[in-house]
Structures are given as structure tokens and as C-alpha cells.
Amino acid sequence: MSRRLLAALSSAVLAFGLAACSGEGAGGGTDTAGQDPKDLTIGVSMPTQTSERWIADGNSVKQKLEAKGYKVALQYAGDDIPTQSQQVDQMITQGADVLIIAAIDGTALTSQLQAAADKKIPVIAYDRLIRGSKNVDFYVSFDNFKVGVAQASALLVALGLQNKDGSKGAKTGPFNVELFAGSLDDNNAHFFFNGAMQTLKPFIDNGSLVVKSKQTAIEQVAILRWQQETAQKRMEDLLTSTYNDGSKVSGVLSPYDGLSRGIITALQNAGYGTAANPIPMVTGQDAEIASVKLINDGVQSSTIFKDTRLLAEQAVIAAEAFLQKKQPQANDTKTYENGVKVVPSYLLPVQTVYKDDIKAVLIDSGYYTAAEVAAGQAK
Ligand code: BGC
């Protein structure tokens, strides 16, 4: 037999072997441990492209996996639950070997996850915990409770009720504040709000903070799908319903930069943002470039920076561990109970960014350039 024929035959056998074990997308069920990365596909399902952070996450995960030679199927679901379910279904049937999923609705993917488990495809929940399923193998995120604590602390610091080191601030209030939370179907929204409320409660109890609308329950202040327009509308409604007596709002707890921008627009449209009528202290999250510019310009008061490059790196480390049939290393095995089990997690720390921190935290780390911050737009 000629060497060429032999080579052709053996690659045909190899191809047949692969097809036989990956079958109709047997994915992670195959012995991925010994395989060349180029024969392995990682399905990456992201919620939406309307927020920069998820674009940065998707790009980072894809680049890091591709740099290691893996094939990547990256999909964005346009914040539509059926679209995400369908995209994950497709990744499974097309033979994904590992799935990395940032869910839109944390409870909506149970049947997809069962299908993945049936094919022994490991599932990594990315930033948002997937709830109600035993088939979530690992969770990579940030310390979400601490995000809420950091947001509330930033509000207290901005109002002067507390110093950055946690000591008592120079001001005593009372200050009128309003509260916002994220989407109720996102597990993180509850962690953020609980962390924030635990921090704000003593100040509400002693009267230095007054939630004038009296809307303090998460169900009253949540914004479905984290929509900027919905937050703007709620802030407009609050201003007309609660602040039409000449009283002023001094601070707004906002859990995400997109919401913060909606809230700020509502406030500006109502005349806030002048020397006589200063813009309230508004918090945020994600260090989105448009908001970093607003912070730099003194319009938004703070944000919480979550380095998506580090999160992507953890997701890649976890995916590789699963491909090598190992268990990824967790640093939290208690906190993230998803209704069925506690999901082993790797949680990253977060950083508060006020105007003074932009250079050290965001520019010097290479996350943004000074020009991007000045323009309010990332390249
Ligand atoms: C993420 C936040 C983000 C929010 C809205 C949450 O699950 O943890 O970083 O601001 O979703 O996209």
C-alpha cells in the first residue's frame, strides 16, 4: 500500500472514529482529554449586544479560546429568551464540547441543560447563575453581593455620609434617595440589591437617607431586562409623582451603567444638572465607556469595574479543565445555591471607580485609552 493511500485511509478512519464518537453532536461525551484543540468546539452564549460589557465578554472569551486553538461558536441572543434557548439547542446538536452561558433568564434553560447533560457536555454559567437545574457544572462570576455593597458605599461616600475608608463622613443628611434594581429573572440582581440594602439600611433607619417614594422592595424598583428606557421612564415617573412639591432627589442607587444613563437623562430633562440644581449622585456598574466619560465629566458619580478580561480567563480555565476531564478549581462552594444544588464557583473581586480612579484603574490597566474616555466611545 502506498504511503499516500495509507495516510488517506488512516485519516478516513480517524474521521470516522471522530464522527462515530461525536455522533450527532456527542460533544463533551467524547474523550476530549487527548484531543487536539482544533477538533474541539466551545459554545459561547451571550445575552445581548445592547450593552458593551457583553460584547467585551464575548470577544474576550472567543479570543482567548481561539488563541489556544479551539473552535468557538459565539452567539448573542438579543435579550430574547426563545432565541437563547434555540441557540443553545443548536450548539448542542452541532457538537459543542463545552458550553459557556450567560443566561438572559436564569431559569429558562432547564431543558437545554438536560440535553447537554444527556450528551455529557459540561456547562459553565458565565457571570449569571443558571437556576433550577442540576446540570450546571461550574460558575464563574464576581462577588456579586460585594458589588451591591460597593454600589451602596459609593452612594454614601458621594453624599458625604461616609468616607472611603468606611468611617463616618462629614455630612448627616437627611438626603432624599431613590433605589433601582436589575432584572428580577437575573440572579445577580438580587445579590446586588441585597448587598446594597444591607449597607444602606442603617442610614435609612436613622433617617439620614430618605426613600421619599417609599419604594424599597426589589419588586417595586426592578427594571426588566436591565433596559435603559425603562429606567428612564421610572425615574421620570418618580420625579412627577414624588418630587413635584419642590423637594429634590440627592442620590440614586443604580445597579448598572445603562440604567444610570437612563436615570441621568430623566434628571437632566427635569432640569437637574445646573449649579443651582445639581445632578444627584448616581451609582453604576460595568465601567461602560459612555458612563466612564460621564464620571470623568462629573455627571455620574461612580461605577463598579468588573474586569471582563479576567472573567473570560476564568471561563477558559474552567472550560479547559472540563475538556481534560478535571474539575475546575473553585474558590467558593457555599454561596451560589441555584434552587437545586450549590454550584461550585470562582468569584473575582471588583473595584469602585470614582472620577479620581479612572486613570489608575481603567487607563493604566489598558482597559481603555485616555482618548476613549475623553470621547466616551471605545474602539
Ligand atoms: C451583570 C452586570 C450587568 C447586568 C446587566 C448582570 O448580570 O452581572 O454586570 O450590569 O447583568 O447587563
Side-chain angles (χ1 to χ4, degrees):
M1 205 184 293
S2 80
R3 272 180 54 202
R4 264 178 68 193
L5 187 60
L6 195 69
L9 242 175
S10 63
S11 63
V13 167
L14 190 69
F16 176 74
L18 271 184
C21 46
S22 47
E24 241 249 293
T30 61
D31 184 14
T32 51
Q35 280 191 41
D36 194 322
K38 73 173 174 14
D39 297 322
L40 297 169
T41 302
I42 323 293
V44 181
S45 171
M46 289 283 150
T48 177
Q49 280 172 303
T50 57
S51 149
E52 264 170 38
R53 89 144 275 198
W54 298 112
I55 300 175
D57 284 279
N59 290 342
S60 288
V61 174
K62 188 168 188 290
Q63 277 162 15
K64 287 179 201 297
L65 286 169
E66 285 177 348
K68 288 172 174 280
Y70 297 103
K71 281 191 279 205
V72 178
L74 168 65
Q75 298 269 12
Y76 286 89
D79 256 341
D80 182 55
I81 298 166
T83 303
Q84 186 164 45
S85 306
Q86 192 213 329
Q87 288 174 341
V88 173
D89 272 333
Q90 207 172 43
M91 289 173 191
I92 296 170
T93 52
Q94 289 179 353
D97 294 283
V98 176
L99 291 170
I100 297 175
I101 305 173
I104 298 165
D105 177 328
T107 57
L109 292 169
T110 318
S111 69
Q112 281 70 31
L113 263 48
Q114 188 55 51
D118 292 345
K119 294 192 167 185
K120 300 203 168 45
I121 304 171
V123 173
I124 300 165
Y126 187 93
D127 196 51
R128 296 175 172 175
L129 186 65
I130 302 175
R131 296 187 52 82
S133 167
K134 65 179 187 312
N135 304 311
V136 190
D137 299 290
F138 201 69
Y139 179 43
V140 292
S141 189
F142 295 86
D143 189 325
N144 293 302
F145 188 84
K146 280 201 189 138
V147 170
V149 171
Q151 289 169 333
S153 303
L155 182 62
L156 296 172
V157 168
L159 290 170
L161 290 170
Q162 191 172 284
N163 299 318
K164 283 188 186 172
D165 64 4
S167 60
K168 205 168 171 323
K171 301 273 176 63
T172 50
F175 294 111
N176 290 330
V177 293
E178 294 299 334
L179 314 172
F180 282 71
S183 198
L184 289 177
D185 52 10
D186 179 345
N187 194 55
N188 288 348
H190 301 267
F191 275 76
F192 301 152
F193 196 69
N194 289 342
M197 287 311 272
Q198 192 187 72
T199 310
L200 296 181
K201 190 169 184 299
F203 295 84
I204 296 174
D205 288 349
N206 74 15
S208 46
L209 290 180
V210 178
V211 184
K212 194 156 182 271
S213 69
K214 298 199 164 46
Q215 298 184 16
T216 55
I218 191 167
E219 293 76 14
Q220 295 173 300
V221 305
I223 301 294
L224 183 67
R225 295 284 115 73
W226 302 89
Q227 291 283 318
Q228 177 167 339
E229 304 72 37
T230 314
Q232 181 177 336
K233 174 79 172 55
R234 176 162 182 263
M235 191 71 233
E236 285 164 0
D237 291 348
L238 285 169
L239 290 173
T240 40
S241 64
T242 311
Y243 296 90
N244 59 358
D245 56 0
S247 60
K248 295 290 176 198
V249 55
S250 299
V252 181
L253 174 83
S254 165
Y256 154 55
D257 286 344
L259 302 191
S260 314
R261 292 195 296 275
I263 292 162
I264 288 169
T265 303
L267 290 163
Q268 288 172 332
N269 289 347
Y272 283 90
T274 63
N277 189 14
I279 194 93
M281 301 301 152
V282 181
T283 64
Q285 172 170 208
D286 293 337
E288 292 200 327
I289 191 68
S291 292
V292 175
K293 177 173 167 44
L294 290 176
I295 294 170
N296 205 29
D297 293 347
V299 179
Q300 185 173 320
S301 136
S302 61
T303 190
I304 307 299
F305 175 49
K306 309 202 302 194
D307 194 333
T308 51
R309 298 168 299 189
L310 301 182
L311 185 60
E313 197 171 293
Q314 282 308 319
V316 171
I317 291 172
E320 283 211 292
F322 282 125
L323 290 170
Q324 288 155 15
K325 303 290 167 195
K326 292 186 198 132
Q327 193 58 32
Q329 203 189 336
N331 66 3
D332 184 302
T333 51
K334 290 199 182 86
T335 312
Y336 287 95
E337 209 279 329
N338 80 344
V340 178
K341 70 174 199 184
V342 177
V343 183
S345 312
Y346 194 96
L347 305 180
L348 290 157
V350 300
Q351 275 173 291
T352 305
V353 175
Y354 304 95
K355 181 175 176 167
D356 289 351
D357 306 302
I358 293 176
K359 184 171 179 310
V361 178
L362 300 175
I363 298 175
D364 293 350
S365 73
Y367 203 71
Y368 295 130
T369 64
E372 287 173 327
V373 171
Q377 222 174 353
K379 288 207 194 80

